[in-house]
Amino acid sequence: MLSFDIFLQPEIFLLWTSFLKTAVLVGVVLTMVAYSVWAERKVSAFIQDRVGPNRVGWAGLLQPLVDGVKLVLKENFVPSGVNKFFFSLAPALAFVPALLVLAVLPFGSSLFGVPMVIANLNTGILWVFAVSSLGVYGIVLAGWSSNSKYPFLGSIRSSSQMISYEIALGLSVIPIFLITGTLNLGEIVQYQTLHGWMVFPMGMSGFNLQRLLLWIPMLISFLVFLIAMFAETNRLPFDLPEAEQELVGGYHTEYSSMRFAMFFLGEYAAMIAGAGVIVTLFLGGWSLPFVPDGSQGWLWGVVNIATFFAKVAAIIFFFLWIRWTLPRFRFDQLMKLGWYVFFEVALVNIFLTAAILLYFRS
Amino acid sequence: MARPVQRPKLSLLERSYLPAIFGGLLVTIRHFKDMIFGKTQVTMEYPEQNWNDDLPDWYRGAPTLVKDEHGRERCVACQLCEFICPPRAITIKPGEISKDSKWAKVEKFPEQFEIDMARCIYCGLCQEVCPEQAIFLRKDYSITGETRESLVHDKKKLYELGGVMTGLVHKWDEKK
């Protein structure tokens, strides 16, 4: 008779629950990636008064599946004159960071007493910034190793884009740490369950003047962070590195088959991870007013997880909506925006938050 | 002389682009909403819906050969259509009608009549030039095939598509 007690020893328990959570989360996110591609095509079609994919399955719901099959079956072509090592490495470098970000996102409260976050790091948000910036290397290497002018221009734009938004991205979240006093994403969500969401501070506990005043810097933070996130995930209006119209696809022009699919998956996975970070930092993560967390029963745990992914889906819809509304920025305009506007706004915002926290103590 | 154009004076709010972006978002979401609720008229979903029943009489579809009500094939292999065809899609091999046939005085018939639909431009010159009212452009427009060879319509296919046409001039009939 085998004893299952070994699975309940703390270390072993942590090990297999982590594996399980990782597998399920990656599975869920990859499915979401496939369906955000479908959603992109459907939303863009609807906004432009078209029909969109509707042949494969009901309303084209099986389209991602056949697209995947098509991409796998295509020839994996390597043009002559490319740097083969970096050419093969780049797609992975673009794809992996997006998934690594997911490791620290609390995508639910807890289920059967297991916290619904893969790695509960105390430096959570720093991990997010460190890893998600690595995604740029994938793009830069792809453009550089392709030995072709359009990918090269795309990768140059990508690096110029990165130095213009990263500072605003980092500075815009500092007010949150000033308020919550922690970098741990799980604790930031816990704070928001108690005090209300960052951009919607109608908490259950006492609502006071300080909370009301903090709403202003939080909205500014949210706006700057959201816009910087658009640049981080290479979404329109900041999709300069791939600019289909000017650069024929930009950094992935020379890629085909699964290597191209990796870039594609990476872009959408980065979008989901970015939406997850936005939700966690500003929109209360898995929390919903008057909904208890997973310690009140596993059903609530499932509701919390569903809430998180529903919010992520809403943010992704907003990403798509913006894409089909705004034209693309020129890259000098983006640098100007990043350095002249958002950098200053984010910096002033920090002092504003600090002043409010200092002078309006609750 | 160059005339300086007065740029519109924008307020600070307008210069932040935010009202314009918000307005743009409203426009796109209105289109999205109208589409969701089926208020937008979109294009016809072709294979399921089509214009087949509403095609006008003068529609120029695939060229076909017709027989008349006596069942006589009207083409006399004069090859005018072959000569006028701009993309040279038509190939005719004339043959002789046997002496003991009822229509022996017509003398010629097309032994082979091929129209390469990969070349045909649906111009209708063959129909216009035909002195025998034998070739007509019908309403078939969806001509597809998996090989180039299958797109060459032979005589059998052409009569199949053309069928019988009534109300034509019967110039080879006996004089009354």
Side-chain angles (χ1 to χ4, degrees), chain B residues 59-63 81 84-90 115-126 137 140-141 143:
Chain B
Y59 185 81
R60 296 206 307 254
C81 52
I84 201 161
C85 181
R88 299 188 180 178
I90 302 177
I115 303 183
D116 188 350
M117 293 313 293
R119 307 198 68 156
C120 177
I121 59 171
Y122 303 85
C123 63
L125 284 183
C126 46
L137 266 64
D140 314 85
Y141 53 86
I143 313 288

Side-chain angles (χ1 to χ4, degrees), chain A residues 239-314:
Chain A
D239 69 337
L240 308 165
E242 46 179 291
E244 291 91 347
Q245 294 83 357
E246 313 144 47
L247 298 184
V248 278
Y251 58 89
H252 54 56
T253 304
E254 305 293 340
Y255 283 87
S256 56
S257 185
M258 264 331 269
R259 289 207 181 107
F260 168 73
M262 291 278 267
F263 279 118
F264 211 62
L265 294 180
E267 189 190 324
Y268 282 89
M271 208 165 103
I272 289 169
V277 174
I278 293 173
V279 166
T280 307
L281 288 180
F282 293 99
L283 299 175
W286 42 262
S287 70
L288 209 59
F290 311 114
V291 173
D293 63 14
S295 56
Q296 308 294 320
W298 64 272
L299 202 63
W300 292 118
V302 173
V303 168
N304 288 153
I305 295 173
T307 310
F308 177 80
F309 283 108
K311 285 178 185 173
V312 167

Side-chain angles (χ1 to χ4, degrees), chain A residues 14 18 21-22 100-110 113-125 127 182-190 280 286:
Chain A
L14 185 70
S18 294
K21 281 186 287 190
T22 312
L100 285 182
V101 169
L102 298 168
V104 293
L105 290 184
F107 54 91
S109 49
S110 61
V114 182
M116 283 294 110
V117 53
I118 292 168
N120 196 9
L121 293 185
N122 280 330
T123 53
I125 193 66
W127 164 268
T182 173
L183 286 172
N184 185 314
L185 289 174
E187 286 171 24
I188 291 173
V189 175
Q190 281 297 343
T280 307
W286 42 262

Side-chain angles (χ1 to χ4, degrees), chain A residues 151-209:
Chain A
F152 187 60
L153 286 172
S155 65
I156 287 179
R157 286 185 184 191
S158 182
S159 33
S160 81
Q161 179 171 326
M162 193 187 105
I163 58 169
S164 20
Y165 70 74
E166 284 272 295
I167 294 179
L169 190 73
L171 288 182
S172 64
V173 289
I174 289 180
I176 291 183
F177 310 139
L178 289 179
I179 295 171
T180 59
T182 173
L183 286 172
N184 185 314
L185 289 174
E187 286 171 24
I188 291 173
V189 175
Q190 281 297 343
Y191 179 90
Q192 292 182 81
T193 53
L194 292 177
H195 299 89
W197 303 355
M198 287 298 176
V199 292
F200 191 68
M202 314 306 168
M204 320 183 200
S205 73
F207 184 71
N208 53 41
L209 185 64

Side-chain angles (χ1 to χ4, degrees), chain A residues 61-84:
Chain A
L61 271 174
L62 296 180
Q63 189 74 39
L65 212 65
V66 282
D67 279 350
V69 170
K70 183 203 77 172
L71 281 168
V72 170
L73 291 179
K74 278 178 114 173
E75 184 192 355
N76 201 346
F77 185 74
V78 181
S80 64
V82 304
N83 186 327
K84 288 215 176 60

